[in-house]
Amino acid sequence: MWPQVGRRGPSREAQKAPALWRLLFHVLSPRPADDAAALPAPEAQARLVKSALRSQGYPRPALVQLPEDGSQGSRELLLALSWLLARGPLLERLLAQIRVRLGDEMPVCECEVLASPGPPAPRVEADGCVDIRHLQWLMGKLRFGWRNLITSQQEHCALLGKVHSYTRGCHSDRSLGHLSVTEAELLRDPEGGRQLLRRLESENARLEAALEWRRRELVFWQWMDTVLDACPPEASQPTFLPRIPERGAGELELVARELQALQEELQAVVETRRAAWEARVGGWGPGWKATQRASEEAVRQELTALQRAWERGGGLAQPHGPHRLVRSEAGTLGGPGLRATEVIKALRSQEACLEAALRQLQGQCRQELARLVGALPGFIWILPPGC
Amino acid sequence: MLPAGCSRRLLAELRDALDACAERQRQLERSLRVSRRLLRVWEPAETPALEPTPGPDTNEEARPPARTPSPQDLKELELLTQALEKAVRVRKGLSKAGGRDEAPSRKSRSIVSPATTASVPPRASGQAGRRASETKPPRGVRQTTVPAKGLPELRLLSVGDQTCKARGAQAAKPEPGLRDQQMAPSAAPQAPEAFTLKQKGILLRLPMAFRKAASQNSRLWAQLSSTETGDSMDATTTAKTQFLRKMQSGWPSSRLCAAEVEAEVGRLRKACSLLRQRMGEELTADPVDWMQEYHCLLTLEGLQAIAGQCLHRLQELRAAVMEHQLAPWPEGRLPSAPSSCGGGADSIWSPQLLLYSSTQELQTLASLRLRVAMLDEQIHLEKVLMAELLPLVSTQEPLGPPWLALCRAVHSLLCEGAFRLARRAGRDCRAGLAERGAGGSLRGTEALPAVQGGEGLRTRRGHPPGRGSACFVPLPNSSIFPAGLESPRGIIGAQ
């Protein structure tokens, strides 16, 4: 549908509305929609589109009031689409999502994996209460699953390594040097290879259309300006969609609790230390004021740097996104590309941080439990060894 | 039994985690299947057959019976064949003089396209001509007498080059294909050798059409990603910002939208962990002089201030959410754990390279990545469980066996289980004793029987000095209690 957007003229027949609802749904889905029966009904799609646009802050209330059956509203939908296009690199992002992957890719971070969680399993909501042992069992199952995952991953890497080393020197692209599994697969299976080629060619067509769109984009925005001007002025107050209970609020609460706990800890530590310090320094003369100010300045700078790490736009110090695996004997390929050793280093430090955080949390729990249990007379808390 | 709301929430969390794990496993299995198949012997259907029917393509429609080569074709073929023979002779002379050190396995192999293995040249060429879809991959290995002549460079390169068209369409490149045809009659057809990637992988070549498409693809992506500057781009950007402004006009833009709230909460979560990490560093640091001490104090005070600011911001967000009933996208599942990376928009849309030098390295990288993900998830689950279960322990009716069972289960869920794979599994149950000290949770490691014999009794309410000592309690029944076992008394109760 994308190449048509650029060619779409100012015609606004009512038939455009359902197509636009569908388009917006696909654009806004958190997961690239697989063509399947998983697609919800058109009315449901429209509702989800409305909700998604609202949650992203779409400013015009007219959208909310549109009927969901697609009988009207193509102009408003077109405005919504343009709004999404104007805000960010929507086109490029979508193209990247459905990109044909020719290499063996490994993500070096976990963002993408979490962002596309896969089709939600049909969940039968058990309204009943569960025994905590069921939770323990689920937890054990999860651990087992992770163990399996790691073993499978090891095997996969071994196989990849073999394929890469057996096809050394085969690739026409010197910087790659060897075939990937996808490429070897296309050699092994001609039918699959033909399909891959077709997909590649259609992607090339899409990319060319996107580049063409870029060249003509200005005209589109000028036209959208006129469309916006032609809209009747809005007068009504925006109506709110009913609140959908969601874990978003829970996330906020969790973080709030953590910050609260952190602040209290810091407060306790600071009070004692400050008191101790004042006691020591009380008799000191004004001579050390200069050094005091220097320290303050240094600390201020350090903390500002720390704050930058999480602020909006804070530098992505870590490698990001999927990378194509290329096997090269150490030192031969001096070309561009991330080195595995660097990634390993970064991951190890991340691992250490997370382990420390987890241990700290577990310790907190232990303390809390001991406190709760210990408050009762006559009971002893016995821990298994190693805790 | 847990209350309904708690059950539902915890079940949802754990099931989400299990689903995610299962999904990863499924994807991994898919990739494993493909890779394993690649490393096995490639099916005979994929290696060239000697009979006139080429490859796995359904040959029935490929061979219209009416098609017979014209005399013109045959003549051309004859000419080309002669030229080829001459070329072979010349090269043979050259190569013998050259004395290459090819791998022995290579000398006796060449890769041919399946369509050219037919011993009936015109037929085969006709079929090959039809099978002009360029993705004809090189087929396996066929042992012919050609290689025995020691001509390694006769390896057929880009197989999909429509090399087999005898219709003179490609006068430029008929050589490789027809050469094989020429060889075929002279060679006694031999049984095709099995093709394995291990032995002959080096000889593979990608089809030309694919290569073209792939290079065009990367070129287009590079164009798309390039940040173009120029008048047209600037004009477009201005037009866009103006459009956005006009869209927004008239409506209060100070209202936060749910997506922004989510993003901010994520940033604050990251802030919390960074602050905590820094606090840990400061607390464990050992100042050598008063200046460092002062520095440490100031840092901690600064951290406290920042934590306060973050908390304040969070409360603002909470108020905004409450007031405006902001709801996030309902279908989307919030990432169960904060990825430690920024997750910002990437302006580089095509994948970059990751260079590794050995399988060991790759495995380390992959397993580290998984461990980080696992730890992320574990931390998230830990927080969720803490939030749900600890209040239960404190509010439920104590002294009953169910409560004791709850305590024990909560402990096993929350406090145990580092996911370290190398660690010894299971709990052997020499009991350690806990001390009810000043808020400390302690572990003694003496085995109980030894303890029972020697020391005297101390009540729990005493405060034994130091961290390492333990309290001892006479146990009414058997001395060793596996922490996981159900007993009528639950946790040891001494009364």
Side-chain angles (χ1 to χ4, degrees), chain A residues 30 48 51-52 55-57 59 83 92 99 105 107 109-111 123 129-130 132 135-136 143 146-147 149 152 154-157 159 164 166 170 172 185-188 190 194 197 203-204 208 214 221 225 229 234 247 251 253 256 258 260 263 265-267 273-274 277 280 292 302-303 309-310 316 323-324 326-328 338-341 350-351 353 355 360 362 365-366 372 374 376 378-385 387, chain B residues 1-2 7 16 19 24-25 31 36-37 39 42 46 135 137-139 198 201-202 205 210-211 213 216-217 221 224 228 240 244 246 251 257-259 267 269-271 276-279 293-296 301-302 308 311 314 318 327 329-330 340-342 349 351-357 359 361 363 366 368-369 371 373-374 377 383 386 399 403 411-412 414-416 419-421 428 430-432 434 436 443 460 491 494:
Chain A
L48 290 171
S51 168
S55 81
Q56 292 208 22
W83 184 77
E92 287 86 348
R99 184 171 46 90
E105 294 190 0
C109 63
E110 283 294 302
C111 319
R123 183 78 50 80
C129 313
V130 294
I132 195 168
L135 291 181
Q136 283 179 285
R143 291 179 195 180
W146 275 105
R147 234 195 310 262
L149 202 56
S152 306
Q154 298 289 83
E155 186 190 346
H156 187 227
C157 288
L159 294 181
H164 293 175
Y166 293 165
C170 293
S172 44
E185 183 67 13
L186 101 86
L187 289 175
R188 186 194 69 89
R194 270 191 292 279
L197 186 65
E203 170 165 314
N204 288 349
E208 285 182 345
R214 261 210 200 157
W221 293 115
D225 234 12
D229 289 337
E234 302 285 348
R247 277 196 291 277
E251 190 70 31
E253 292 306 318
E258 280 178 47
Q260 185 78 31
Q263 201 193 22
E265 279 183 50
L266 278 167
Q267 198 167 352
R273 287 207 181 192
R274 179 49 86 169
W277 179 257
R280 274 180 58 185
Q292 185 184 10
E302 278 175 23
L303 291 180
W310 71 75
L316 286 174
H323 283 64
R324 176 169 178 158
V326 170
R327 186 183 185 116
S328 78
L338 201 51
R339 299 292 186 277
T341 38
Q350 234 180 312
E351 183 196 21
C353 275
E355 276 183 354
Q360 192 263 338
Q362 285 179 334
C365 288
R366 222 170 283 132
L372 288 170
L376 303 163
F379 285 97
I380 270 286
W381 185 241
I382 296 199
L383 298 172
C387 280
Chain B
M1 300 292 283
L2 302 172
S7 304
D16 272 347
D19 287 343
R24 281 191 211 238
Q25 185 75 27
S31 311
R36 281 186 199 130
R37 198 172 50 193
L39 287 167
W42 288 13
E46 295 146 2
T135 57
R139 273 348 188 168
K198 182 169 184 179
I202 311 186
R205 289 292 179 271
F210 177 80
R211 270 190 272 163
Q216 195 186 12
N217 187 271
W221 271 114
L224 206 62
E228 303 159 23
K240 277 198 245 186
L244 283 175
K246 271 171 104 172
W251 305 111
C257 68
R267 276 197 294 275
R269 186 203 302 120
K270 188 173 176 187
R276 186 169 276 285
Q277 191 185 337
R278 189 57 186 274
M279 175 180 87
E293 221 179 295
Y294 189 55
H295 194 98
C296 190
E301 286 182 338
L311 200 53
L314 206 59
R318 187 199 277 146
W329 170 255
S340 318
C341 20
W349 302 104
Q352 299 160 281
L353 301 180
L354 174 58
L355 305 171
Y356 73 97
S357 57
T359 306
E361 209 175 55
Q363 283 176 324
L368 270 178
R369 211 195 89 233
R371 258 196 73 74
M374 200 168 70
E377 186 181 80
K383 290 179 190 167
M386 267 172 77
L399 300 184
W403 182 79
H411 186 273
S412 90
L414 289 179
C415 309
E416 295 159 20
F419 272 26
R420 190 165 287 285
L421 299 176
D428 38 357
R430 289 171 295 125
R436 183 177 160 269
R443 29 202 102 89
R460 284 180 316 102
I491 297 173

Side-chain angles (χ1 to χ4, degrees), chain A residues 18-56:
Chain A
L20 282 169
W21 279 122
R22 268 200 310 277
L23 179 58
L24 281 169
F25 175 76
H26 283 281
V27 164
L28 291 167
S29 294
R31 178 171 168 77
D34 343 37
D35 37 11
L39 282 185
E43 286 79 17
Q45 286 185 20
R47 264 197 302 279
L48 290 171
V49 165
K50 283 188 190 177
S51 168
L53 281 172
R54 245 197 83 235
S55 81
Q56 292 208 22

Side-chain angles (χ1 to χ4, degrees), chain B residues 169-442:
Chain B
Q170 306 226 319
K173 280 195 221 163
E175 181 180 338
L178 288 174
R179 164 201 66 222
D180 298 300
Q181 286 182 0
Q182 176 256 336
M183 308 305 183
S186 60
Q190 304 181 16
E193 287 250 333
F195 180 87
T196 56
L197 209 58
K198 182 169 184 179
Q199 295 166 343
K200 297 126 194 175
I202 311 186
L203 308 177
L204 291 175
R205 289 292 179 271
L206 292 169
M208 173 58 85
F210 177 80
R211 270 190 272 163
K212 276 202 220 141
S215 67
Q216 195 186 12
N217 187 271
S218 48
R219 190 174 44 85
L220 288 169
W221 271 114
Q223 267 187 286
L224 206 62
S225 326
S226 70
T227 50
E228 303 159 23
T229 52
D231 297 333
S232 64
M233 285 311 292
D234 291 339
T236 314
T237 326
T238 348
K240 277 198 245 186
T241 24
Q242 190 182 339
F243 176 75
L244 283 175
R245 216 176 17 238
K246 271 171 104 172
M247 288 280 277
Q248 193 74 52
S249 67
W251 305 111
S253 58
S254 58
R255 261 195 345 221
L256 287 169
C257 68
E260 283 172 16
V261 169
E262 210 176 302
E264 270 228 59
V265 168
R267 276 197 294 275
L268 290 171
R269 186 203 302 120
K270 188 173 176 187
C272 188
S273 63
L274 284 174
L275 287 171
R276 186 169 276 285
Q277 191 185 337
R278 189 57 186 274
M279 175 180 87
E281 286 170 15
E282 292 296 325
L283 288 179
T284 50
D286 212 8
V288 294
D289 61 7
W290 62 265
M291 250 182 60
Q292 283 188 3
E293 221 179 295
Y294 189 55
H295 194 98
C296 190
L297 173 64
L298 286 178
T299 312
L300 287 169
E301 286 182 338
L303 291 176
Q304 187 195 356
I306 299 179
Q309 285 170 13
C310 292
L311 200 53
H312 180 72
R313 179 73 190 138
L314 206 59
Q315 283 156 356
E316 279 179 1
L317 289 175
R318 187 199 277 146
V321 168
M322 291 295 159
E323 184 192 337
H324 299 292
Q325 299 190 335
L326 300 172
W329 170 255
E331 258 191 17
R333 170 176 168 257
L334 289 174
S336 70
S339 357
S340 318
C341 20
D346 216 347
S347 60
I348 307 174
W349 302 104
S350 40
Q352 299 160 281
L353 301 180
L354 174 58
L355 305 171
Y356 73 97
S357 57
S358 69
T359 306
Q360 177 69 15
E361 209 175 55
L362 186 60
Q363 283 176 324
T364 315
L365 187 105
S367 69
L368 270 178
R369 211 195 89 233
L370 278 183
R371 258 196 73 74
V372 166
M374 200 168 70
L375 283 169
D376 256 345
E377 186 181 80
Q378 231 186 317
I379 290 180
H380 171 79
L381 284 175
E382 181 82 10
K383 290 179 190 167
V384 167
L385 286 169
M386 267 172 77
E388 296 279 352
L389 294 177
L390 285 178
L392 278 186
V393 174
S394 57
T395 57
Q396 267 201 13
E397 176 66 34
L399 300 184
W403 182 79
L404 294 170
L406 178 69
C407 286
R408 201 170 48 249
V410 168
H411 186 273
S412 90
L413 273 175
L414 289 179
C415 309
E416 295 159 20
F419 272 26
R420 190 165 287 285
L421 299 176
R423 194 178 140 112
R424 68 184 186 281
R427 283 165 285 202
D428 38 357
C429 308
R430 289 171 295 125
L433 297 180
E435 174 200 4
R436 183 177 160 269
S441 77
L442 274 231

